[in-house]
Amino acid sequence: MTALTQQQREAVEAEGDVLVMAGAGTGKTHTLVERVLHFALRSERPVPMDRFLIVTFTEAATAELQ
């Protein structure tokens, strides 16, 4: 697993809705996966998995998210 940049870490930890936009190969999908894990696995007020909506535009990103 690769380390997150400061901007990615901010997107992962941000409260509320987040739009992640960046060029190809910059770690968008990885950032979204880390965001889901951050909120679903936290000890205080974990977010149920059915509360997440992630939209992607490629089959490759969809496969990675699954």
XYZ file of all heavy atoms in Angstrom:
506
model
N 0.854 -1.173 0.000
C 0.000 0.000 0.000
C 0.902 1.238 0.000
O 1.847 1.308 0.760
C -0.884 -0.039 1.242
C -1.984 0.968 1.306
S -3.501 0.736 0.341
C -3.923 -0.941 0.527
N 0.598 2.168 -0.864
C 1.422 3.362 -0.951
C 0.961 4.415 0.050
O -0.204 4.442 0.449
C 1.359 3.966 -2.373
O -0.007 4.299 -2.660
C 1.874 2.981 -3.410
N 1.889 5.262 0.440
C 1.573 6.351 1.360
C 0.741 7.404 0.632
O 0.855 7.574 -0.583
C 2.858 6.962 1.895
N -0.082 8.102 1.388
C -0.900 9.167 0.814
C -0.160 10.492 0.867
O 0.600 10.761 1.805
C -2.212 9.296 1.592
C -3.138 8.089 1.577
C -4.307 8.316 2.524
C -3.643 7.805 0.180
N -0.414 11.335 -0.130
C 0.108 12.695 -0.090
C -0.730 13.500 0.901
O -1.788 13.052 1.364
C 0.020 13.368 -1.473
O -1.372 13.548 -1.806
C 0.713 12.540 -2.547
N -0.297 14.702 1.206
C -1.043 15.564 2.124
C -2.439 15.854 1.574
O -3.430 15.801 2.304
C -0.295 16.878 2.377
C -1.011 17.813 3.334
C -1.219 17.227 4.720
O -0.426 16.430 5.208
N -2.309 17.606 5.360
N -2.560 16.128 0.273
C -3.869 16.403 -0.327
C -4.767 15.168 -0.281
O -5.963 15.274 -0.014
C -3.711 16.881 -1.767
C -3.145 18.282 -1.866
C -2.940 18.694 -3.309
O -2.460 17.908 -4.129
N -3.307 19.929 -3.625
N -4.196 14.004 -0.542
C -4.978 12.770 -0.461
C -5.446 12.525 0.959
O -6.598 12.156 1.194
C -4.165 11.585 -0.972
C -3.944 11.598 -2.467
C -2.928 10.560 -2.903
O -1.945 10.299 -2.207
N -3.160 9.961 -4.058
N -4.565 12.728 1.935
C -4.913 12.542 3.345
C -6.054 13.481 3.735
O -6.985 13.101 4.441
C -3.678 12.785 4.223
C -3.908 12.718 5.710
C -4.383 11.416 6.278
N -3.593 10.271 5.862
C -4.048 9.022 5.873
N -5.262 8.748 6.282
N -3.298 8.030 5.482
N -6.018 14.727 3.245
C -7.091 15.679 3.533
C -8.411 15.201 2.945
O -9.463 15.337 3.579
C -6.727 17.064 3.001
C -5.610 17.727 3.783
C -5.105 19.012 3.143
O -5.717 19.499 2.167
O -4.082 19.531 3.621
N -8.380 14.636 1.741
C -9.598 14.102 1.116
C -10.117 12.904 1.894
O -11.326 12.745 2.060
C -9.323 13.723 -0.334
N -9.234 12.055 2.373
C -9.619 10.874 3.141
C -10.312 11.287 4.438
O -11.338 10.720 4.817
C -8.390 9.989 3.445
C -8.692 8.951 4.517
C -7.892 9.320 2.175
N -9.791 12.271 5.123
C -10.273 12.626 6.458
C -11.361 13.698 6.464
O -11.944 13.962 7.520
C -9.091 13.075 7.308
C -8.086 11.949 7.527
C -6.834 12.390 8.250
O -6.665 13.610 8.490
O -6.010 11.524 8.570
N -11.669 14.305 5.336
C -12.655 15.386 5.277
C -14.038 14.879 5.664
O -14.453 13.801 5.258
C -12.695 15.989 3.880
N -14.749 15.660 6.445
C -16.131 15.342 6.801
C -17.045 15.762 5.655
O -16.760 16.713 4.942
C -16.532 16.072 8.083
C -15.794 15.605 9.321
C -16.193 14.209 9.778
O -17.341 13.786 9.504
O -15.365 13.545 10.404
N -18.133 15.058 5.477
C -19.094 15.413 4.443
C -18.707 14.855 3.084
O -17.836 14.002 2.960
N -19.390 15.364 2.070
C -19.166 14.889 0.706
C -17.836 15.395 0.159
O -17.406 16.499 0.478
C -20.287 15.377 -0.210
C -21.645 14.847 0.218
O -21.694 13.812 0.888
O -22.655 15.492 -0.119
N -17.209 14.577 -0.668
C -15.922 14.925 -1.266
C -15.945 14.546 -2.737
O -16.423 13.474 -3.106
C -14.763 14.180 -0.562
C -13.457 14.389 -1.290
C -14.629 14.640 0.867
N -15.440 15.427 -3.573
C -15.247 15.148 -4.989
C -13.751 15.048 -5.217
O -13.009 15.990 -4.920
C -15.840 16.270 -5.848
C -15.567 16.191 -7.348
C -16.219 14.947 -7.943
C -16.081 17.449 -8.037
N -13.293 13.904 -5.706
C -11.871 13.689 -5.966
C -11.671 13.733 -7.472
O -12.140 12.864 -8.196
C -11.390 12.348 -5.384
C -9.933 12.105 -5.725
C -11.600 12.310 -3.876
N -10.982 14.769 -7.950
C -10.696 14.924 -9.377
C -9.202 15.116 -9.551
O -8.597 15.936 -8.871
C -11.417 16.158 -9.939
C -12.900 15.992 -10.039
S -13.822 17.369 -10.782
C -12.624 18.490 -11.392
N -8.628 14.346 -10.466
C -7.196 14.456 -10.750
C -6.920 13.666 -12.025
O -7.775 12.935 -12.519
C -6.376 13.906 -9.591
N -5.717 13.807 -12.531
C -5.325 13.128 -13.749
C -5.157 11.633 -13.558
O -5.172 11.115 -12.436
N -4.983 10.944 -14.675
C -4.799 9.491 -14.662
C -3.552 9.108 -13.870
O -2.516 9.764 -13.961
C -4.690 8.971 -16.088
N -3.685 8.055 -13.086
C -2.538 7.519 -12.367
C -2.107 8.297 -11.145
O -1.006 8.102 -10.640
N -2.971 9.165 -10.623
C -2.591 9.998 -9.484
C -3.053 9.453 -8.142
O -2.771 10.044 -7.112
C -3.140 11.427 -9.655
O -4.557 11.354 -9.811
C -2.513 12.114 -10.855
N -3.783 8.329 -8.158
C -4.189 7.707 -6.903
C -5.608 8.030 -6.456
O -5.914 7.901 -5.270
N -6.469 8.409 -7.379
C -7.851 8.740 -7.009
C -8.563 7.541 -6.390
O -9.171 7.668 -5.337
C -8.637 9.219 -8.243
C -8.172 10.522 -8.837
C -8.966 10.888 -10.074
C -8.834 9.892 -11.198
N -7.508 9.766 -11.787
N -8.491 6.400 -7.051
C -9.185 5.213 -6.560
C -8.617 4.793 -5.214
O -9.369 4.485 -4.282
C -9.094 4.069 -7.578
O -9.619 4.530 -8.831
C -9.872 2.853 -7.117
N -7.326 4.798 -5.079
C -6.675 4.458 -3.803
C -7.156 5.404 -2.707
O -7.460 4.972 -1.588
C -5.156 4.533 -3.963
C -4.415 4.296 -2.697
N -4.340 3.054 -2.109
C -3.728 5.135 -1.894
C -3.628 3.151 -1.001
N -3.248 4.400 -0.848
N -7.250 6.681 -3.019
C -7.710 7.675 -2.050
C -9.144 7.383 -1.627
O -9.479 7.457 -0.436
C -7.605 9.096 -2.644
O -6.239 9.349 -2.976
C -8.085 10.150 -1.674
N -10.010 7.031 -2.573
C -11.397 6.730 -2.244
C -11.520 5.475 -1.384
O -12.315 5.434 -0.439
C -12.219 6.593 -3.523
C -12.403 7.889 -4.309
C -13.067 7.595 -5.646
C -13.218 8.898 -3.511
N -10.723 4.467 -1.693
C -10.728 3.253 -0.876
C -10.285 3.581 0.549
O -10.906 3.148 1.533
C -9.826 2.161 -1.496
C -9.612 1.003 -0.525
C -10.422 1.667 -2.809
N -9.232 4.354 0.683
C -8.753 4.752 2.002
C -9.808 5.564 2.754
O -9.961 5.430 3.972
C -7.453 5.556 1.889
C -6.266 4.725 1.459
C -5.891 3.667 2.486
O -5.970 3.918 3.705
O -5.508 2.561 2.062
N -10.555 6.397 2.034
C -11.613 7.209 2.652
C -12.716 6.316 3.211
O -13.172 6.511 4.341
C -12.180 8.198 1.640
C -13.274 9.077 2.191
C -13.643 10.172 1.211
N -14.841 10.871 1.622
C -14.907 11.767 2.589
N -13.812 12.091 3.256
N -16.045 12.355 2.894
N -13.150 5.342 2.425
C -14.182 4.416 2.894
C -13.695 3.679 4.143
O -14.409 3.591 5.147
C -14.581 3.423 1.787
C -15.434 2.297 2.349
C -15.313 4.145 0.667
N -12.482 3.154 4.092
C -11.941 2.435 5.243
C -11.823 3.335 6.462
O -12.116 2.911 7.590
C -10.577 1.836 4.896
C -10.591 0.713 3.864
C -9.165 0.317 3.495
C -11.396 -0.466 4.351
N -11.394 4.571 6.253
C -11.235 5.532 7.353
C -12.546 5.706 8.119
O -12.563 5.675 9.344
C -10.745 6.875 6.793
C -10.686 7.969 7.810
N -9.695 8.045 8.754
C -11.509 9.032 8.020
C -9.902 9.120 9.508
N -11.000 9.723 9.085
N -13.640 5.886 7.388
C -14.919 6.148 8.039
C -15.638 4.871 8.477
O -16.315 4.862 9.497
C -15.819 6.990 7.129
C -15.408 8.428 7.098
C -14.660 8.921 6.039
C -15.738 9.289 8.125
C -14.260 10.239 6.013
C -15.341 10.614 8.114
C -14.595 11.094 7.053
N -15.493 3.791 7.748
C -16.183 2.551 8.091
C -15.554 1.850 9.290
O -16.261 1.185 10.056
C -16.195 1.609 6.887
N -14.259 2.021 9.468
C -13.550 1.287 10.520
C -13.187 2.122 11.738
O -12.563 1.602 12.665
C -12.281 0.653 9.942
C -12.498 -0.340 8.798
C -11.160 -0.834 8.275
C -13.404 -1.476 9.213
N -13.592 3.389 11.755
C -13.227 4.206 12.923
C -13.985 3.730 14.156
O -15.085 3.169 14.058
C -13.467 5.686 12.645
C -14.895 6.091 12.446
C -14.980 7.553 12.084
N -16.359 7.934 11.807
C -16.714 9.118 11.381
N -15.806 10.054 11.180
N -17.973 9.396 11.158
N -13.380 3.937 15.319
C -13.960 3.415 16.562
C -15.169 4.225 17.024
O -16.091 3.665 17.611
C -12.900 3.358 17.662
O -12.356 4.640 17.879
N -15.168 5.510 16.770
C -16.298 6.354 17.165
C -17.162 6.655 15.946
O -16.672 7.136 14.933
C -15.798 7.673 17.764
C -15.088 7.508 19.088
C -14.697 8.851 19.677
O -15.377 9.848 19.408
O -13.695 8.890 20.400
N -18.429 6.358 16.054
C -19.397 6.633 14.994
C -18.981 6.078 13.637
O -18.879 6.811 12.663
C -19.673 8.132 14.865
C -20.260 8.778 16.097
C -20.548 10.263 15.919
N -19.372 10.999 15.483
C -19.294 11.710 14.350
N -20.315 11.796 13.560
N -18.186 12.345 14.031
N -18.741 4.762 13.520
C -18.401 4.206 12.209
C -19.572 4.384 11.240
O -20.735 4.356 11.639
C -18.134 2.728 12.497
C -18.804 2.458 13.795
C -18.821 3.740 14.558
N -19.252 4.597 9.983
C -20.270 4.802 8.955
C -20.578 3.453 8.303
O -19.662 2.769 7.838
C -19.769 5.818 7.895
C -20.796 5.990 6.792
C -19.437 7.152 8.548
N -21.862 3.071 8.238
C -22.215 1.802 7.587
C -21.858 1.830 6.102
O -21.938 2.873 5.443
C -23.733 1.710 7.771
C -24.073 2.693 8.839
C -23.026 3.751 8.797
N -21.491 0.677 5.573
C -21.066 0.596 4.172
C -22.145 1.044 3.198
O -21.837 1.554 2.127
C -20.621 -0.833 3.842
C -19.340 -1.253 4.532
S -17.931 -0.212 4.110
C -17.659 -0.696 2.430
N -23.414 0.885 3.553
C -24.482 1.282 2.633
C -24.701 2.793 2.577
O -25.568 3.270 1.854
C -25.788 0.554 2.955
C -26.363 0.912 4.316
O -25.715 1.650 5.082
O -27.470 0.443 4.621
N -23.889 3.540 3.289
C -23.974 5.008 3.269
C -22.983 5.633 2.282
O -22.957 6.844 2.115
C -23.735 5.578 4.666
C -24.714 5.099 5.715
C -26.110 5.602 5.473
N -26.088 7.059 5.495
C -27.042 7.830 5.003
N -28.088 7.298 4.440
N -26.945 9.130 5.072
N -22.174 4.834 1.629
C -21.176 5.348 0.694
C -21.689 5.255 -0.738
O -22.285 4.257 -1.128
C -19.870 4.544 0.792
C -19.167 4.701 2.105
C -19.342 3.769 3.116
C -18.334 5.781 2.336
C -18.700 3.909 4.323
C -17.692 5.935 3.553
C -17.867 4.997 4.541
N -21.428 6.286 -1.507
C -21.693 6.276 -2.945
C -20.408 6.698 -3.626
O -19.912 7.803 -3.415
C -22.816 7.233 -3.321
C -23.022 7.445 -4.826
C -23.485 6.138 -5.474
C -24.015 8.560 -5.075
N -19.854 5.812 -4.434
C -18.639 6.111 -5.173
C -18.944 5.904 -6.644
O -19.379 4.829 -7.050
C -17.462 5.218 -4.737
C -17.160 5.439 -3.256
C -16.235 5.489 -5.597
C -16.113 4.523 -2.707
N -18.727 6.932 -7.441
C -18.974 6.878 -8.874
C -17.631 6.907 -9.586
O -16.780 7.745 -9.288
C -19.842 8.071 -9.332
C -20.070 8.029 -10.831
C -21.170 8.070 -8.589
N -17.455 5.989 -10.521
C -16.231 5.940 -11.311
C -16.602 5.795 -12.778
O -17.720 5.417 -13.105
C -15.324 4.783 -10.846
O -14.122 4.822 -11.589
C -15.996 3.447 -11.014
N -15.689 6.121 -13.645
C -15.979 6.140 -15.072
C -15.232 5.076 -15.868
O -15.354 5.029 -17.076
C -15.679 7.529 -15.646
C -16.558 8.584 -15.053
C -16.105 9.390 -14.043
C -17.859 8.743 -15.501
C -16.928 10.353 -13.476
C -18.696 9.698 -14.944
C -18.222 10.505 -13.921
N -14.474 4.235 -15.196
C -13.759 3.183 -15.916
C -14.005 1.835 -15.266
O -14.231 1.742 -14.051
C -12.231 3.435 -15.941
O -11.716 3.295 -14.610
C -11.894 4.813 -16.505
N -13.962 0.795 -16.072
C -14.116 -0.554 -15.547
C -12.946 -0.937 -14.655
O -13.099 -1.664 -13.669
C -14.286 -1.548 -16.688
C -15.611 -1.394 -17.416
C -15.794 -2.404 -18.528
O -15.054 -3.411 -18.554
O -16.677 -2.176 -19.355
N -11.765 -0.422 -14.974
C -10.572 -0.727 -14.171
C -10.739 -0.180 -12.751
O -10.434 -0.862 -11.768
C -9.329 -0.158 -14.819
N -11.207 1.054 -12.622
C -11.419 1.653 -11.303
C -12.522 0.917 -10.562
O -12.424 0.695 -9.353
C -11.732 3.124 -11.427
N -13.564 0.529 -11.265
C -14.645 -0.236 -10.646
C -14.120 -1.553 -10.078
O -14.436 -1.923 -8.952
C -15.776 -0.502 -11.661
O -16.278 0.739 -12.135
C -16.902 -1.301 -11.034
N -13.309 -2.238 -10.858
C -12.734 -3.507 -10.396
C -11.859 -3.293 -9.176
O -11.892 -4.087 -8.226
C -11.923 -4.150 -11.521
N -11.095 -2.218 -9.162
C -10.222 -1.926 -8.011
C -11.057 -1.627 -6.774
O -10.708 -2.044 -5.669
C -9.310 -0.747 -8.330
C -8.232 -0.532 -7.311
C -7.231 0.524 -7.713
O -7.172 0.884 -8.904
O -6.532 1.022 -6.812
N -12.160 -0.932 -6.941
C -13.017 -0.616 -5.799
C -13.689 -1.871 -5.230
O -13.888 -1.984 -4.029
C -14.091 0.406 -6.199
C -13.586 1.818 -6.419
C -14.662 2.673 -7.051
C -13.117 2.438 -5.108
N -14.025 -2.800 -6.102
C -14.664 -4.022 -5.634
C -13.698 -4.826 -4.797
O -14.030 -5.459 -3.862
C -15.166 -4.855 -6.808
C -16.323 -4.203 -7.500
C -16.758 -4.957 -8.762
O -15.985 -5.695 -9.347
N -17.982 -4.733 -9.186
